[in-house]
Amino acid sequence: MIAVTAYEGRRVGVLGLGRSGLATCAALKAGGAEVCAWDDSPEGRAKAEAAGFVPVDLTKQGAVEGLAALITSPGIPHLYPAPHPVIAACLTAGVPVDNDISLFFQSLAGMDEPPKVVCVTGSNGKSTTTALIAHLLAEAGRDVRMAGNIGTGVLSIDLPGEAGVVVLELSSYQTDLARRLAPDVAVFTNLSPDHLDRHGGMGGYFAAKRRLFTEGAPARAVIGVDEAEGRYLAMQLAEGAEDLRVVRVSSGQKLQGPGWSVFARKGFLAEWRGGRQVASIDLRPITGLPGAHNHQNACAAYAAVRALGLAPRQIEAGLASFQGLPHRSQLIGERNGVRFVNDSKATNVDSAAKALQAFPKIRWIAGGLGKEGGIAGLVPFLGSVSKAYMIGHSARDFALQLGTTPHEICETMERAVARAADEAEPGEVVLLAPAAASFDQYPNFEKRGEHFAALVQDLLGA
C-alpha cells in the first residue's frame, strides 16, 4: 500500500467505497489524514465499516465544509450529465475534488528515485495493451506493478524496487478529473464513441483523454494514428515530423517519415526511425494476439517498452509467451476443428467490429443491453459471419439490423452456445462479441464471459 501523506492531520472526504475507494481510505489513513468516507449504497457503507472506517454522511447540509479535499471514485459523475450532490456541494464550497490517480502521482513527487510510470488510455485495447506492457517488462526481468482501471486500485499496490515500473490503465473518467498527471510514457490506443453522456459529447470525451498528454507532459508519447483524433494529438505534441518524443502507431498502414513509428501490416510488426527500418516481428504465430486490433495493441506495447530500453529480441520473446486477457479474444478451446473465443469485453460496436475482423468464418453470438444505434455500424463487417445467434434484451432489435445475414433469436446464452456449437463446421470460430452491455442478464461483462466459457468447457468435456 502507498501511504498518502499530503493530507496529514487534515479531514479528507472519500466518495464511493468500491475497490479504489477503500484503497484510498486506507492510503489516506496510513498517511495521517482523518478520513470521512461515504457511499450512497448501504452495501458500500457496510464494506467500509468492515474495513474499519465509520461512514460520514457527506450528503448532509454543510458536511463538506472543512474538508481539505474530496476524493471520488471514477464511476461517480463530477460534471455531466450532472454532478453528484456531494461533488456539487464541494464545487460550491471551493473544496478540491480529485481522485486516487492524482494522489498516486502526488506521492511519487516527493521521492528521490520514483519508479517509471507508463499510463495507457484510449477507447479500445487499453486493458490488453496495459497487460502486454507489464508482461513484456516482467519477461525482461523488470520489477513491475499493474493497476488502475484494469482491476487493482493504484494506492493498494506496493511500489516496485530499483528500476521498477508501474503500468496504469486509465479510463476517461480517471484522466478527466485527476489534478496531477505525470507519466514517463503515455499511450493513446484509439478513439471511438463511448461514455458520451459523461463527457458532454465526443469533444469532451477526446478532451478527457488528451489531458494525459497535454497536462501530463510525458517524456515519450505513443499515439495510435488510425483515427483523426490520434493524428491531431500527435501533431500537437511533436515539434516536427522528426521529433522522436512522439511514437506514431498504426495497424494496417505503413507509416513513413523521419520520425519514430511502429506499425503492423499483413501480420508483421515493423519499427522505423529516421526513415529506415530497425526491427521487424512476425505476429501471426502469436495466439494471444489474434486480429488487426490486437496487432495495434502489440505495436503500442512494443513502442512503450522500447521507450523504456527493451531490445527488439527481448520484446519478441515476450510477445510469444503472452496468453491474452480473459474476455478479450480469449481462446477457450477447440473441438473438431471449431474454435470457441470469448470476447465479452466487446461491449460496443467498434470493439465488436474489430473482433469480427479477426477471424475468417464466424458463428457470432451477440446481444445484451444494446447501446444507441444498435449494431447498424457492424453491417460492413458481417461478411465473415456464417450465422448470428442473438441473446438478451436487444436480441430482436439487433436481428432487424442484420440484413441478409442468417440469424436465430436464442435469447439465452445456453441456447446460443448449444446452437452455434451444433451448427459450426471445421475451420469456423464460435465468437462471443456481444456489441452490447451485459446488465440485462449479468452484473458485468466478466460474468457474461465466464458463463460462456463454462458452457464451452462443458461441451468440450462431453
Side-chain angles (χ1 to χ4, degrees):
M1 182 182 67
I2 299 170
V4 176
T5 60
Y7 296 100
E8 184 176 3
R10 306 169 75 186
R11 294 177 68 238
V12 180
V14 178
L15 179 63
L17 302 175
R19 181 189 65 248
S20 65
L22 289 177
T24 298
C25 289
L28 286 165
K29 182 179 179 180
E34 179 188 344
V35 177
C36 302
W38 181 252
D39 194 291
D40 290 336
S41 74
E43 294 80 9
R45 298 195 293 272
K47 289 180 181 178
E49 289 186 287
F53 298 98
V54 179
V56 175
D57 189 352
L58 296 176
T59 65
K60 289 185 176 180
Q61 183 74 26
V64 304
E65 294 178 8
L67 292 181
L70 176 74
I71 312 303
T72 183
S73 294
I76 299 173
H78 56 268
L79 187 57
Y80 301 113
H84 184 280
V86 174
I87 295 177
C90 286
L91 297 178
T92 300
V95 175
V97 180
D98 212 342
N99 63 16
D100 61 332
I101 301 302
S102 183
L103 295 185
F104 166 75
F105 282 114
Q106 284 181 1
S107 299
L108 294 191
M111 297 177 61
D112 292 333
E113 295 185 12
K116 296 291 186 183
V117 181
V118 180
C119 292
V120 180
T121 195
S123 295
N124 298 302
K126 295 188 301 296
S127 295
T128 296
T129 301
T130 300
L132 183 54
I133 291 170
H135 174 80
L136 294 173
L137 290 167
E139 289 292 292
R142 302 286 286 271
D143 191 5
V144 185
R145 302 292 184 273
M146 183 172 66
N149 195 56
I150 200 166
T152 302
V154 65
L155 296 176
S156 66
I157 67 172
D158 294 322
L159 291 176
E162 185 177 354
V165 183
V166 177
V167 186
L168 301 179
E169 177 191 339
L170 300 183
S171 72
S172 57
Y173 300 169
Q174 293 167 312
T175 58
D176 193 24
L177 186 61
R179 294 166 64 89
R180 183 186 293 267
L181 293 165
D184 296 283
V185 179
V187 179
F188 177 86
T189 58
N190 49 57
L191 199 77
S192 62
D194 210 359
H195 310 306
L196 301 189
D197 59 330
R198 275 290 299 269
H199 298 292
M202 195 68 178
Y205 179 47
F206 177 49
K209 301 287 189 185
R210 181 175 171 271
R211 288 190 75 244
L212 179 64
F213 302 86
T214 56
E215 299 193 28
R220 193 82 66 187
V222 177
I223 309 295
V225 295
D226 287 335
E227 292 86 29
E229 291 87 354
R231 294 190 289 274
Y232 177 79
L233 181 58
M235 177 275 297
Q236 283 197 310
L237 297 175
E239 293 296 331
E242 70 285 348
D243 190 345
L244 298 183
R245 294 174 303 166
V246 176
V247 188
R248 292 170 172 81
V249 167
S250 175
S251 175
Q253 60 176 319
K254 181 178 180 180
L255 300 178
Q256 301 184 27
W260 188 355
S261 62
V262 181
F263 58 88
R265 292 182 71 203
K266 299 180 180 180
F268 285 86
L269 178 152
E271 177 188 3
W272 283 65
R273 289 198 215 187
R276 67 183 186 90
Q277 183 172 316
V278 297
S280 177
I281 296 174
D282 186 355
L283 299 175
R284 294 173 300 175
I286 301 174
T287 58
L289 295 166
H293 62 304
N294 274 311
H295 291 176
Q296 184 193 49
N297 298 336
C299 289
Y302 176 99
V305 297
R306 281 289 275 154
L308 293 173
L310 266 61
R313 286 188 179 181
Q314 290 176 295
I315 300 171
E316 184 171 12
L319 289 171
S321 61
F322 184 65
Q323 297 300 309
L325 286 178
H327 318 300
R328 298 160 177 87
S329 297
Q330 176 192 15
L331 178 63
I332 303 300
E334 184 173 343
R335 184 183 72 170
N336 299 330
V338 176
R339 288 178 290 165
F340 295 81
V341 174
N342 167 25
D343 205 330
S344 183
K345 184 62 169 65
T347 59
N348 59 36
V349 164
D350 189 68
S351 53
K354 289 178 169 59
L356 290 173
Q357 293 174 80
F359 308 101
K361 296 180 180 180
I362 298 171
R363 299 278 169 170
W364 179 35
I365 299 176
L369 192 60
K371 298 185 177 181
E372 185 177 353
I375 57 170
L378 291 176
V379 171
F381 307 103
L382 298 180
S384 60
V385 177
S386 301
K387 184 176 178 180
Y389 305 81
M390 299 288 101
I391 65 172
H393 178 269
S394 62
R396 285 168 173 76
D397 290 338
F398 278 16
L400 293 174
Q401 297 178 306
L402 288 172
T404 59
T405 301
H407 64 272
E408 180 176 338
I409 296 175
C410 296
E411 296 188 345
T412 67
M413 185 73 76
E414 289 88 348
R415 178 167 175 80
V417 170
R419 293 290 297 151
D422 183 57
E423 296 181 347
E425 299 177 356
E428 293 186 325
V429 170
V430 175
L431 171 68
L432 171 65
S438 60
F439 306 124
D440 57 332
Q441 294 178 314
Y442 303 93
N444 50 51
F445 74 83
E446 291 95 341
K447 292 298 182 184
R448 176 171 61 190
E450 289 168 6
H451 189 204
F452 172 80
L455 293 169
V456 170
Q457 293 290 0
D458 287 344
L459 280 172
L460 298 182

